[in-house]
Amino acid sequence: AFYRTTDGTEADFVLGDGEVFVEAKASAFAEKAGRGIRSFKEEGPLRAAYIVSRDPVPRTMDGGITILPWREFCRRLWAGAIL
């Protein structure tokens, strides 16, 4: 599923009961690209927010948004650590 905020921002994926939002990037993550997922955190409570990208290492940005390389995200998702 996907989700759109009241200001028109969309999440690429919504997991679980709408508490986990995922934004996918085809390249490495740039800080300015995190505006969309920040909008979701401002609009309501989230259990987790992820940006999945081609970054080489996992990291966390301001606001508790986790940036994961796509392979690491898949590993965690399949292991049950995302939901």
Side-chain angles (χ1 to χ4, degrees), residues 1-5 9-14 21-23 36-37 40:
F2 79 96
Y3 182 83
R4 184 176 307 197
T5 63
T9 304
E10 295 179 357
D12 294 323
F13 303 98
V14 180
F21 287 75
V22 180
E23 187 173 330
I37 208 152
F40 293 108

Side-chain angles (χ1 to χ4, degrees), residues 7-61:
D7 70 359
T9 304
E10 295 179 357
D12 294 323
F13 303 98
V14 180
L15 305 176
D17 291 330
E19 297 175 336
V20 178
F21 287 75
V22 180
E23 187 173 330
K25 298 293 177 192
S27 60
F29 173 72
E31 291 295 324
K32 67 180 181 177
R35 283 184 306 209
I37 208 152
R38 284 187 189 104
S39 292
F40 293 108
K41 289 190 70 79
E42 291 171 4
E43 203 164 281
L46 295 179
R47 189 167 48 120
Y50 295 94
I51 295 173
V52 180
S53 68
R54 298 184 86 184
D55 279 82
V57 294
R59 59 190 168 111
T60 303
M61 62 185 269

